[in-house]
Amino acid sequence: MKEGPDIARAAALIGDPARANILTALLSGKALTPSELAREAGVTAQTASSHLAKLESGGLTVTRRQGRHRYVTLASEEVVAVLEILTSLAARNGHLRTRTGPRDPDMRAARVCYNHLAGARAVQLYGHLCASGALTVTQAGITLTDSGAAAMDAFGIDLAALAGKRSPLCRECLDWSERRSHLGGSLGRALLTRMEDLGWLARVPGSRTVTFTPRGQRAFDETFPAARAATEPA
Amino acid sequence: MKEGPDIARAAALIGDPARANILTALLSGKALTPSELAREAGVTAQTASSHLAKLESGGLTVTRRQGRHRYVTLASEEVVAVLEILTSLAARNGHLRTRTGPRDPDMRAARVCYNHLAGARAVQLYGHLCASGALTVTQAGITLTDSGAAAMDAFGIDLAALAGKRSPLCRECLDWSERRSHLGGSLGRALLTRMEDLGWLARVPGSRTVTFTPRGQRAFDETFPAARAATEPA
DNA sequence: TTCATGCTTCGATGGTAGTCGAAGCATCGG
DNA sequence: CCGATGCTTCGACTACCATCGAAGCATGAA
């Protein structure tokens, strides 16, 4: 029985922690690049590449080339269904409290994802921007409203400079530790940079963790208060 | 990320070939004993025991003691759902042809499953019995029709003796190598015994493989010809 | 009690696959 | 054309885990 029977094949693909993280990240429905997935899964690019090759040859994901990047998505609704049932199964069995995502509490609170803020703080930020009408979320993606643009300008973001860039201004990014969306894209990057410039936060060298200064934390909570009812994760 | 996140845990459990075989065998809905499962999975009792402990602690199976034996069943409908979707997924991805089950061709053709015939021959037998109206398959299970009872009697099966037994007369059993149903239950056992008595086949000592004699093969094909359109596997 | 059966635990072995460093290719921008 | 970025391939290392032999425990039968 050393010859892998079909069902075990697919299950074994999901069974590896790194691949499971990749698949979970893809559950957002968004297409993500290999490097983003590597970051989300907490492995290096080489490892992620190897995993992605296996996932694709196993029929769990599909890849489409677009310009310079490769975008990976889940292959079918069946894959989504399996992942969701597995999640619910794990939850029911009490394996929910298992630490998903970074074990470091600080890292869970705030960290860098690609180049924008991630973690609980980032989800709070995203929730506020949606609730205040700065962002509108549609099927097609996220767009910055006029009032949102004004707010960003007031916060010191140079939107004109961002408009010239190739990368999308706003992008939804599934948060690993929070399992909810936060803001990526060039605007997400600009916000992180701006907050750094304001002295609100500092990156921890050699780590993805970001620490807020006490003053920065207060200012952040004041500027982007936690929205009452945020968009649902699942 | 070494800490296994929930979803990977359950998936990894299904991901091992031996465990996948065990779970597939349990998909019949019947409670099976560890030794039976060891047989089905093609591993020794010790190995199966280890696997069963993991499956149970992972919440995929439940065990209930009854008299001298232990009976294992799948834990919930969710587990069934996951296994079924995984099967369909694997089929869709062309991994159907992958050798599932015993690698020995003879064993694939015919073998013993608990005490009844399994393998390609068994699927042929089951297909004929359904096509000829000897069996009716309903949601509730399989029942032997009057004409079927007559046919069994003509074949030399003592149905009256079987009626006294506790175990069900007919049982659907998912075939490991063929991924299609065959006939289990006391009738399935009786059929195997009868064919053995007729000299159609012989069990290979120390193996689950069953070999048909040339004469027995001809008689089998004559008595239970392959049904034209069998029930679809995938 | 003693024996037999069925299942589990222990200990040792081997194979498999996940992981990363470093180098090799593409693709795009200047 | 050159340089940079993003991704893949190659090679080697490591660790985990499935597997089995043999012994240890139950449970039920004689």
Side-chain angles (χ1 to χ4, degrees), chain A residues 214-233:
Chain A
R215 187 174 54 83
Q217 177 70 65
R218 276 196 305 275
F220 180 87
D221 284 337
E222 204 170 295
T223 315
F224 308 111
R228 192 81 62 83
T231 47
E232 247 309 283

Side-chain angles (χ1 to χ4, degrees), chain B residues 28-89:
Chain B
S28 69
K30 262 297 177 184
L32 299 175
T33 67
S35 46
E36 290 171 316
L37 290 170
R39 237 176 289 253
E40 283 300 310
V43 294
T44 62
Q46 312 94 296
T47 305
S49 177
S50 149
H51 284 313
L52 289 173
K54 285 171 187 170
L55 287 174
E56 185 161 7
S57 90
L60 294 186
T61 61
V62 290
T63 301
R64 120 188 90 111
R65 321 186 69 98
Q66 188 170 309
R68 166 124 121 209
H69 296 276
R70 295 189 47 186
Y71 288 101
V72 182
T73 52
L74 297 180
S76 67
E77 283 301 316
E78 282 180 320
V79 179
V80 175
V82 167
L83 294 175
E84 283 177 347
I85 301 180
L86 279 174
T87 306
S88 125
L89 235 169

Side-chain angles (χ1 to χ4, degrees), chain A residues 34-35 49 70 114:
Chain A
S35 48
S49 177
R70 294 189 48 186
Y114 199 10

